[in-house]
Amino acid sequence: MTPDVTTAAAGTASLVQSVDWVAIAPPLIAAAVALVVLFADLFLPPSRKPLLGWITIAGLVAALASLAPLRTGSRSTFCLTANPDACSYTVDQFAFVIQALVLGGALLTALLSVRDTKEKLPAGEFWFLLLSSVAGAALLPAARDLATLVVALEVASLPAFALVGLKRGDRLSSEAALKFFLSSVTATAVMLLGVSFVYAATGTLHLTEIATKLATVPGPLDTVAKTGVVLTLVGFAFKTAAAPFHFWVPDTYVGAPLPVAAYLSVVGKAVGFSGLILVTVVAFPSYADVWGPALAVLAALTMTIGNAAALRQSATRAHSAVRLLAWSSVGQAGYLLVPIAAAAYSSGSQVGATVAYALMYAVVNLGAFAVAALVARGKPLNRLTDYRGLYAERPLAALALAFFLLCLAGLPPGIIGLFAKVTVFSAAVNAGLGWLAVVMAVNVVVALYYYLRWTAILFRSPEAAEQPSEQPTEAARPRVPAPLTVAIALTAFVGVVLSGVPQLALHFASVTLF
């Protein structure tokens, strides 16, 4: 063998890396089960299609269980041989928590969807697309280079377009999918342009190396680097539904199947915010003076627009309950942005407040959508007025929804909602963003009105025009599917536990996540 060939062979051998299969197990299991569902759908007769839903649920439970070995310490894989500290995949405390949130949210979405795939949606396509999206969403928080980050983001997003438009023959569903697709494609194009500028300025895609090289970027490339940072942030602003890039949210939530809207409101947000945290705190700390003020303004604008639009929702408008939840999610996105902006003025540990708030929001928002799915079974227009007298008809569901809404409002007995808001408020104050804390306080008070209005509707007596003979009998009332009951009960139970022991979620605000 000639010296040149020997050298080439040695160089090739040096690129061979070991794979930490335990670290990559959560997204890998979701992807593997997606393939199992895809092939099983080809051979199962129509009468056996419901089995695909239970295979999906079992796969998501297995993916959650695979997180157990990752709960402590940090594990990395796909690292550079020349620099073992620069890795493409790292499971640390941050990745562990977000992966648990994503997989838990996907599991609850699957429980909400079991009945819909029997009656309204094509089962094989739905479960395959859901699991594919979950695989990307679980991969993203562990991504530690921009290429893996963008790929994971698109793997999570592309199946979601199809999920939104899966109600065949439904005009609202098709319109929602088109708006979601166009906004997301625009976001991706802007983000990729920003990533290319960052790569041009630093010569690397690994987040830790970008952070090092941006600190010493040559003067002529400073403008290129700043432009790349700004464009990357704009791309993530679309993904997180931050104003003024939020316009796709209400119509998308209304047109999508309710379980898919729930999935987007929680898992979609987790994906967007975890990517935003990674690029700002891990990759771009040297340009905190660029992204810090921008995110602070976006946070104030997002929470204000979201809450103002939620106030304007008419109780008698079709799908007004889902629209209110959609605008509420925009307002909540503003709160989630506050600690990330605060990290630019103090330390990266502030983002722990975003993680703690996201855990609270995920549980109670999924619970609210679960009750909305229950009401929609009998009243498909899902207006706020359709919830009048829910306590008289289904007392446990009404109490659960009231609890979820009070958590979102930050009022007792939703203690976890109150404490989470205080944690976010403290992050702004500690960072010296007093004006942002004032804007947040005003918005919290404004949001009380529409949350309490909906809560009050639940306990009003049914419409006086309805005679007792017209009230639905127990036999005529739509039977609640067992998976939907489990989803409501599970979210209510976790919400109550978090309100009783809030430190289970809030301690992430005070620990080192990276």
Side-chain angles (χ1 to χ4, degrees):
M1 184 177 290
T2 64
D4 290 342
V5 174
T6 304
T7 303
T12 302
S14 69
L15 296 177
V16 177
Q17 305 175 34
S18 60
V19 179
D20 189 339
W21 295 101
V22 174
I24 66 173
L28 187 63
I29 290 173
V33 177
L35 294 177
V36 170
V37 167
L38 181 64
F39 283 106
D41 182 50
L42 297 175
F43 303 103
L44 285 176
S47 61
R48 303 294 301 276
K49 296 289 187 182
L51 182 61
L52 299 176
W54 297 109
I55 293 174
T56 299
I57 290 172
L60 291 172
V61 170
L64 271 170
S66 70
L67 286 172
L70 307 175
R71 64 187 184 277
T72 57
S74 177
R75 305 174 72 128
S76 298
T77 190
F78 305 116
C79 303
L80 294 178
T81 53
N83 182 8
D85 293 329
C87 301
S88 294
Y89 188 97
T90 298
V91 183
D92 46 23
Q93 190 79 341
F94 173 78
F96 171 80
V97 175
I98 300 299
Q99 285 181 339
L101 189 158
V102 164
L103 294 171
L107 178 59
L108 286 166
T109 301
L111 290 172
L112 294 179
S113 307
V114 169
R115 178 62 63 175
D116 283 350
T117 53
K118 287 182 180 179
E119 301 172 351
K120 305 172 186 176
L121 304 174
E125 293 93 325
F126 180 88
W127 295 119
F128 171 72
L129 290 168
L130 178 65
L131 284 165
S132 300
S133 179
V134 170
L139 170 63
L140 190 140
R144 292 299 183 272
D145 71 62
L146 290 177
T148 306
L149 196 65
V150 171
V151 169
L153 190 62
E154 291 312 297
V155 171
S157 300
L158 289 174
F161 306 150
L163 286 171
V164 170
L166 212 53
K167 290 195 290 186
R168 295 168 181 169
D170 188 314
R171 182 185 62 81
L172 287 177
S173 181
S174 300
E175 182 182 335
L178 180 61
K179 286 183 178 180
F180 187 25
F181 172 75
L182 292 176
S183 64
S184 191
V185 166
T186 302
T188 301
V190 173
M191 187 187 307
L192 286 174
L193 183 60
V195 167
S196 67
F197 283 178
V198 171
Y199 179 73
T202 61
T204 182
L205 291 174
H206 287 84
L207 302 185
T208 52
E209 291 194 334
I210 289 173
T212 301
K213 293 188 177 182
L214 281 181
T216 56
V217 67
L221 292 177
D222 183 60
T223 301
V224 174
K226 285 183 177 179
T227 304
V229 169
V230 171
L231 291 176
T232 304
L233 293 180
V234 169
F236 277 105
F238 272 99
K239 302 293 186 181
T240 57
F245 313 107
H246 66 287
F247 53 85
W248 57 271
V249 174
D251 290 339
T252 299
Y253 283 23
V254 169
L258 261 177
V260 176
Y263 177 81
L264 292 176
S265 74
V266 171
V267 177
K269 270 194 171 44
V271 168
F273 277 99
S274 55
L276 184 62
I277 289 171
L278 287 173
V279 296
T280 53
V281 175
V282 179
F284 302 155
S286 301
Y287 284 79
D289 59 326
V290 175
W291 56 262
L295 290 183
V297 172
L298 281 181
L301 191 62
T302 302
M303 66 179 75
T304 302
I305 290 178
N307 288 320
L311 278 176
R312 297 176 59 249
Q313 295 307 305
S314 170
T316 57
R317 182 182 181 182
H319 309 292
S320 55
V322 178
R323 284 189 177 277
L324 192 147
L325 286 174
W327 284 115
S328 164
S329 74
V330 173
Q332 299 286 342
Y335 305 147
L336 287 163
L337 282 170
V338 171
I340 307 177
Y345 295 88
S346 51
S347 68
S349 62
Q350 296 279 17
V351 298
T354 290
V355 174
Y357 195 95
L359 290 172
M360 178 281 300
Y361 169 76
V363 172
V364 299
N365 210 57
L366 280 169
F369 269 102
V371 179
L374 184 152
V375 172
R377 293 186 61 76
K379 300 171 181 177
L381 288 181
N382 219 327
R383 298 166 297 194
L384 287 172
T385 52
D386 293 335
Y387 291 77
R388 180 166 183 168
L390 183 62
Y391 179 74
E393 183 181 348
R394 300 188 186 276
L396 293 180
L399 289 173
L401 180 56
F403 175 71
F404 298 140
L405 293 174
L406 291 175
C407 284
L408 289 171
L411 292 176
I415 300 299
I416 184 60
L418 174 63
F419 281 15
K421 281 184 168 57
V422 170
T423 301
V424 170
F425 187 85
S426 299
V429 172
N430 293 337
L433 294 173
W435 67 270
L436 185 55
V438 171
V439 172
M440 179 181 172
V442 171
N443 274 278
V444 169
V445 173
V446 170
L448 291 179
Y449 173 76
Y450 61 81
Y451 286 129
L452 291 178
R453 182 182 64 168
W454 193 355
T455 304
I457 290 174
L458 303 175
F459 299 97
R460 288 179 185 168
S461 58
E463 292 288 348
E466 284 189 22
Q467 300 299 325
S469 61
E470 297 173 341
Q471 297 289 343
T473 63
E474 193 66 34
R477 185 180 301 156
R479 191 173 70 86
V480 183
L484 180 55
T485 302
V486 170
I488 296 173
L490 189 58
T491 50
F493 173 76
V494 175
V496 169
V497 169
L498 290 178
S499 288
V501 193
Q503 59 266 34
L504 290 176
L506 299 181
H507 86 279
F508 291 110
S510 58
V511 300
T512 302
L513 295 176
F514 296 104

